[in-house]
Amino acid sequence: MLFDRILGNIADAGFSQTEPPDAVELSWDDCALPAIRKTTRAGVAVGILPPRGRSLRDGDVLRNAAGASLVVRVQPVNVWVATFANPSTLAVVALELGNLHVPVEVDGDMLIVPPDGPIREVLDRYGATVESVARIFAPLRVTVLQGVKLAEGFKVSREG
């Protein structure tokens, strides 16, 4: 069964759909894949093709062409939750970690990151208070390139 539409998220205020009877469990890094093959909690083999440029989130309701629905459940993982004395420090640290290609999630005044030695070094350098917790990790995804288009008349040619 192929699921290629996202109807909404059960956590969204405007989403009035009841939760589908079946769910698929994903890891946080599965959520950004362009194509996913998994088995649902009910034992059904499914393929998932999220819309291009869209990452799946916990609670997303997927639908297939036959009208069957499925809810995405992201598995909690151990992460570090860092807080800082002021919000500008959080922004600087998030930028620095982004330059290191570290996945980060910003939740209010908290920076959530996977536990790792070099990440801890950056957090300590900026005086972060760090707590290890198990939670759903939903890092920010790069969306800058989605609006990039080639100029009209652009051609690739081979000389020689």
Side-chain angles (χ1 to χ4, degrees), residues 122-141:
V122 172
L123 296 175
D124 288 346
R125 186 168 3 112
Y126 286 96
T129 301
V130 180
E131 181 183 0
S132 181
V133 300
R135 64 176 277 164
I136 294 171
F137 183 46
L140 302 169
R141 302 292 181 190

Side-chain angles (χ1 to χ4, degrees), residues 7-136:
L7 295 180
N9 191 289
I10 58 175
D12 294 342
F15 193 73
S16 61
Q17 183 115 358
T18 58
E19 187 168 332
D22 200 3
V24 62
E25 293 186 10
L26 301 177
S27 66
W28 68 267
D29 48 346
D30 286 340
C31 292
L33 293 174
I36 304 164
R37 285 188 185 272
K38 290 286 182 178
T39 301
T40 69
R41 288 179 180 167
V44 178
V46 296
I48 302 170
L49 290 175
R52 192 169 168 209
R54 171 79 157 71
S55 294
L56 296 173
R57 299 179 302 145
D58 185 63
D60 278 348
V61 177
L62 309 176
R63 175 151 295 162
N64 66 11
S69 295
L70 180 66
V71 68
V72 171
R73 288 297 175 201
V74 179
Q75 300 166 335
V77 293
N78 288 325
V79 293
W80 285 339
V81 176
T83 54
F84 301 87
N86 67 54
S88 62
T89 304
L90 184 147
V92 170
V93 173
L95 180 64
E96 185 168 334
L97 292 174
N99 284 339
L100 296 172
H101 302 279
V102 171
V104 300
E105 176 185 356
V106 177
D107 185 1
D109 63 348
M110 301 180 298
L111 183 68
I112 297 102
V113 294
D116 185 53
I119 295 171
R120 185 59 189 245
E121 188 175 316
V122 172
L123 296 175
D124 288 346
R125 186 168 3 112
Y126 286 96
T129 301
V130 180
E131 181 183 0
S132 181
V133 300
R135 64 176 277 164
I136 294 171

Side-chain angles (χ1 to χ4, degrees), residues 147-156:
V148 174
K149 297 179 182 171
L150 297 176
E152 194 169 314
F154 177 83
K155 291 185 208 175
V156 175

